[in-house]
């Protein structure tokens, strides 16, 4: 039975899609059959970050409305052959997602995949609720700033109240905290919240810290998930996240100011 | 059967266009069923003086809440008692205290007959055990009921304890309460074992205990209990309130109580925030 993981945050621009792309690619690279679904209907980005925007023929909404089959809509990744992408529609809005339709698509995907990654849109409206509704686990992406932490807190409340697991009284969704755009130097100068501040406020377990890095932007622009970049701090940090998710014990890297300087010299980023 | 029904007199029916035959007698009234939550007064003795004494003592504390309140008399504990209940005296006593007795429940057959003579309705349903009526019965006699209940362990000899013993148990929450969430302990206390985060709101009719940081809002005694208190392990609140008196911490909590264990109580109009050592 496939696991459904939602990547969510409440706030926009914190790195949900970057995380979805890298996390899904990381899982697939380790041999797990993985599909990543873009729930951001109307503002599709995942296909850009995955570098497959020109291969989109049918999308998630087409499948939900029965205009195309899942096989037609799924895009097979060119770099990792165990990875599929289900893009969102750019020309529709979030109301095109129906609960029954989403459930049908997820059930069909469950039969052929190990992991289903749902890339949630920002906000707490229909699209975001649909993305988290069927989730078994959640990765809550947070930037080290107060407004992002507050929105993550809100979305955690929604996970505990409005998800299928919550409504049916099943085991609660397993929540993981992922801090992105972390800059140890600015934390040191008191300009950003520290890891301790954030974990203390949100009270969920930390699955990783992704350092602020130019390589993320470069990777996004060139359509290559940053996790595939072995020379980037961020790429390595995402690899750690995938390893921790799969149960490996890995130390947090790139979270100390001095250490970062050392690694920077080492990796030359 | 067990729901409380009212006959609504439709005075303004004459103005209503969609009543076809406005001249007929039927249009003068309209009959509708409606469910109400009523306070239940549990009587534990048939000695009217004892009832009166306990009732006065109780109402002195919460007179405004019960003023002109329709009230249901629960007779369960007086079924076997001698002398028999004098309903004329009882209803007279209740009316003198500005209560409006409307019905009795759970009495013996004889009591019900006597009650009817005194102009009271009979609420049934409870006696039939697990019948379908249980739900609506619960609506009448559930958490909102205020009982004048004699606890076996109390030292009072009389009819009723002077405390409002609520049926609502303490509400316990062990999950963090997050931004946008709202928890209300109706009729009782609230205990929270995890953080109340910024943007979250906890409310209770009684006290609030938070064994973790309070970063959001906490409102105790929301139905006017001025003796309610708030306790928290780390004071970082946005707003605190007891029985309607509130304080907002616009910038941040003052240093002398910030992140300290505190209790908050109402002294006069003023909220007192005292560190607990």
């Amino acid at each position: 039975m496939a696991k459904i993981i939602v990547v969510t945050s409440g706030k926009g621009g914190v790195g949900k899609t970057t995380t979805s792309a890298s996390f899904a690619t990381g899982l697939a690279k380790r041999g797990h059959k993985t599909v990543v679904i873009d729930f951001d209907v109307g503002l599709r980005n995942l296909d850009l970050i995955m570098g497959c925007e020109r291969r989109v023929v049918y999308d998630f909404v087409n499948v939900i409305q029965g205009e195309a089959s899942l096989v037609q809509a799924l895009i097979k990744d060119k770099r990792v052959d165990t990875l599929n992408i289900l893009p969102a529609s750019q020309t529709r809005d979030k109301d095109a997602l129906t609960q029954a339709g989403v459930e049908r698509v997820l059930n069909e995907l469950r039969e052929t995949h190990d992991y289903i990654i749902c890339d949630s849109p920002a906000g707490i409206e229909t699209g975001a609720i649909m993305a988290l509704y069927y989730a078994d686990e959640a990765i809550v992406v947070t930037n080290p700033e107060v407004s992002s932490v507050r929105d993550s807190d809100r979305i955690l409340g929604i996970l505990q109240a409005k998800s299928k697991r919550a409504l049916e009284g099943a085991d609660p969704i397993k929540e993981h905290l992922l801090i992105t755009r972390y800059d140890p130097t600015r934390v040191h100068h008191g300009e950003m919240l520290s890891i301790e501040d954030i974990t203390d406020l949100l009270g969920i377990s930390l699955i990783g810290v992704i350092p602020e890095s130019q390589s993320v932007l470069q990777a996004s622009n060139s359509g290559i998930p940053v996790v595939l970049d072995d020379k980037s701090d961020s790429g390595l940090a995402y690899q750690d996240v995938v390893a921790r998710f799969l149960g490996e014990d890995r130390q947090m890297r790139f979270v100390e100011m001095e250490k970062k300087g050392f690694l920077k010299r080492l990796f030359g980023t | 059967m067990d729901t409380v029904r009212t006959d609504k007199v439709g005075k303004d029916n004459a103005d209503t266009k969609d009543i076809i035959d406005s001249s007929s007698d039927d249009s003068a009234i309209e009959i509708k069923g409606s469910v109400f939550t009523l306070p239940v007064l549990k009587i534990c003795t048939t000695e009217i003086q004892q009832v009166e004494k306990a009732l006065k003592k109780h109402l002195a504390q919460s007179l405004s809440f019960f003023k002109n309140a329709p009230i249901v008399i629960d007779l369960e504990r007086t079924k076997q008692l001698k002398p028999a209940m004098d309903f004329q005296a009882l209803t007279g006593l209740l009316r003198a205290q500005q209560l409006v007795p409307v019905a009795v429940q759970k009495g013996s057959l004889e009591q019900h007959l006597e009650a009817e003579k005194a102009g009271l309705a009979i609420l049934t349903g409870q006696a039939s055990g697990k019948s379908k009526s249980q739900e609506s019965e619960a609506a009448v006699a559930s958490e909102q009921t205020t009982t004048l209940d004699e606890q076996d362990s109390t030292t009072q000899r009389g009819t009723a304890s002077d405390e409002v013993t609520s049926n609502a148990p303490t509400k316990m929450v062990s999950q963090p309460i997050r931004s946008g969430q709202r928890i209300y302990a109706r009729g009782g206390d609230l205990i929270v074992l995890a953080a109340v985060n910024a943007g979250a709101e906890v409310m209770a009719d009684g006290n609030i205990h938070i064994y973790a940081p309070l970063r959001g809002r906490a409102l105790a005694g929301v139905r006017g209990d001025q003796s309610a208190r708030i306790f928290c392990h780390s004071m970082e609140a946005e707003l605190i309130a007891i029985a309607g008196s509130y304080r907002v911490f616009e910038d941040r909590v003052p240093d002398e109580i910030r992140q300290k264990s505190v209790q908050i109580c109402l002294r006069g109009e003023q909220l007192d925030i005292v560190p607990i050592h």
Side-chain angles (χ1 to χ4, degrees):
Chain A
M1 190 71 159
K3 246 188 201 154
I4 301 177
I5 302 133
V6 62
V7 178
T8 187
S9 72
K11 192 167 155 56
V14 296
K16 283 182 296 296
T17 303
T18 302
T19 299
S20 298
S22 278
F23 186 65
T25 307
L27 283 171
K29 219 176 154 222
R30 284 168 160 254
H32 300 286
K33 280 189 174 168
T34 307
V35 57
V36 54
I37 309 174
D38 192 350
F39 273 79
D40 204 348
V41 177
L43 286 169
R44 70 169 219 233
N45 282 156
L46 181 70
D47 50 320
L48 283 170
I49 289 180
M50 298 293 295
C52 62
E53 73 275 13
R54 293 178 170 279
R55 297 168 60 205
V56 177
V57 181
Y58 294 108
D59 58 52
F60 192 18
V61 172
N62 292 137
V63 180
I64 282 178
Q65 301 192 333
E67 296 157 358
S69 73
L70 203 46
V71 180
Q72 287 175 303
L74 281 179
I75 301 172
K76 207 171 167 68
D77 190 81
K78 280 186 172 166
R79 297 161 293 239
V80 188
D81 62 0
T82 47
L83 179 61
N84 283 316
I85 300 130
L86 184 55
S89 170
Q90 184 73 351
T91 53
R92 311 296 277 269
D93 61 36
K94 310 253 185 318
D95 297 332
L97 297 175
T98 61
Q99 192 146 307
V102 171
E103 182 170 23
R104 186 174 53 80
V105 173
L106 288 177
N107 282 341
E108 211 173 315
L109 288 169
R110 267 189 165 157
E111 287 167 23
T112 46
H113 294 84
D114 302 323
Y115 294 104
I116 301 170
I117 315 299
C118 302
D119 180 23
S120 171
I124 52 172
E125 285 82 30
T126 319
I129 303 290
M130 287 289 174
L132 65 80
Y133 187 76
Y134 294 100
D136 301 308
E137 302 198 21
I139 294 179
V140 177
V141 183
T142 305
N143 286 171
E145 48 152 322
V146 177
S147 62
S148 176
V149 173
R150 175 75 67 95
D151 289 359
S152 294
D153 195 45
R154 184 90 171 87
I155 209 82
L156 282 164
I158 290 170
L159 283 169
Q160 287 155 13
K162 293 197 177 165
S163 62
K164 185 166 185 274
R165 280 175 175 266
L167 294 172
E168 289 179 357
D171 290 342
I173 292 178
K174 197 171 169 190
E175 301 148 342
H176 307 277
L177 173 64
L178 179 68
I179 302 173
T180 56
R181 311 196 66 168
Y182 193 75
D183 185 339
T185 315
R186 294 188 66 187
V187 172
H188 184 77
H189 293 309
E191 297 166 6
M192 271 186 178
L193 296 176
S194 70
I195 296 171
E196 291 71 32
D197 291 339
I198 301 168
T199 50
D200 189 40
L201 283 164
L202 293 177
I204 59 171
S205 70
L206 183 68
I207 196 168
V209 179
I210 311 298
E212 172 80 312
S213 164
Q214 282 298 315
S215 56
V216 174
L217 193 61
Q218 285 161 10
S220 293
N221 286 339
S222 53
I224 304 162
V226 71
V227 72
L228 295 173
D229 185 353
D230 287 335
K231 294 194 182 71
S232 150
D233 290 0
S234 300
L236 295 171
Y238 272 119
Q239 291 176 13
D240 287 351
V241 169
V242 173
R244 284 187 205 108
F245 182 82
L246 294 171
E248 289 175 31
D249 193 19
R250 293 229 180 153
Q251 223 159 2
M252 291 290 165
R253 303 195 258 179
F254 321 113
V255 295
E256 301 294 336
M257 197 167 59
E258 301 79 10
K259 215 171 183 177
K260 189 183 171 182
F262 164 71
L263 283 161
K264 246 186 169 168
R265 280 200 301 281
L266 195 69
F267 293 109
T269 48
Chain B
M1 271 297 275
D2 47 351
T3 59
V4 180
R5 285 165 197 276
T6 58
D7 296 345
K8 187 184 165 199
V9 180
K11 278 181 182 162
D12 41 6
N13 277 356
D15 304 324
T16 317
K17 293 275 191 293
D18 43 25
I19 290 184
I20 300 157
D21 184 8
S22 62
S23 61
S24 98
D25 289 346
D26 287 355
S27 65
I29 59 162
E30 214 178 295
I31 296 179
K32 280 181 178 170
S34 203
V35 180
F36 297 94
T37 303
L38 297 180
V40 174
L41 179 71
K42 280 193 183 172
I43 306 280
C44 310
T45 176
T46 54
E47 303 283 345
I48 294 295
Q49 281 82 11
Q50 284 191 22
V51 176
E52 184 174 13
K53 217 168 118 189
L55 196 62
K56 277 184 174 164
K57 199 171 169 189
H58 180 79
L59 290 177
Q61 293 167 356
S62 50
L63 185 61
S64 58
F65 185 71
F66 287 108
K67 198 173 179 182
N68 294 327
I71 203 156
V72 176
I73 303 161
D74 185 304
L75 299 168
E76 196 174 20
R77 299 197 184 183
T78 61
K79 271 188 204 171
Q80 318 290 341
L81 295 182
K82 302 260 177 193
M85 180 68 83
D86 180 350
F87 285 99
Q88 295 292 355
L90 181 63
T91 53
L93 161 67
L94 293 174
R95 291 201 179 100
Q97 298 298 324
Q98 292 183 303
L99 296 171
V100 186
V102 292
V104 297
Q105 66 169 10
K106 298 184 199 170
S108 63
L109 195 60
E110 292 75 29
Q111 283 180 323
H112 283 174
L113 289 171
E114 287 300 312
E116 273 185 332
K117 280 183 200 163
L120 294 166
I122 315 297
L123 294 182
T124 54
Q126 183 86 343
S128 53
K130 290 188 174 78
S131 70
K132 273 185 189 168
S133 62
Q134 268 206 325
E135 266 191 26
S136 35
E137 178 68 28
V140 177
S142 71
E143 43 183 294
Q144 292 225 340
T145 61
T146 307
T147 58
L148 293 175
D149 210 342
E150 189 190 28
Q151 302 292 324
D152 292 337
S153 56
T154 57
T155 49
Q156 274 134 0
R157 292 168 293 109
T159 49
S161 71
D162 55 356
E163 290 284 331
V164 179
T165 52
S166 171
N167 290 350
T170 298
K171 194 180 181 86
M172 183 102 75
V173 179
S174 50
Q175 292 289 313
I177 302 172
R178 302 191 179 276
S179 184
Q181 289 182 321
R182 194 181 212 192
I183 303 282
Y184 177 32
R186 187 188 295 277
D189 287 2
L190 175 66
I191 296 179
V192 185
L193 300 171
V196 176
N197 279 350
E201 192 168 281
V202 291
M203 303 190 293
D205 288 343
N207 306 304
I208 297 176
H209 307 254
I210 301 162
Y211 297 96
L214 166 61
R215 305 187 181 107
R217 299 156 159 249
L219 299 88
V222 291
R223 282 202 294 181
D225 182 0
Q226 304 197 341
S227 65
R229 295 185 182 198
I230 301 168
F231 305 85
C232 70
H233 257 191
S234 179
M235 174 65 186
E236 299 161 43
E238 295 171 333
L239 178 147
I240 51 168
I242 293 171
S245 302
Y246 68 93
R247 180 165 169 193
V248 186
F249 299 94
E250 255 179 58
D251 294 328
R252 51 190 274 162
V253 176
D255 283 342
E256 61 270 22
I257 48 167
R258 196 178 135 74
Q259 296 187 333
K260 300 260 163 55
S261 291
V262 298
Q263 69 157 317
I264 301 153
C265 53
L266 196 59
R267 197 154 297 172
E269 299 275 284
Q270 198 75 34
L271 283 175
D272 247 6
I273 308 175
V274 190
I276 307 170
H277 297 290

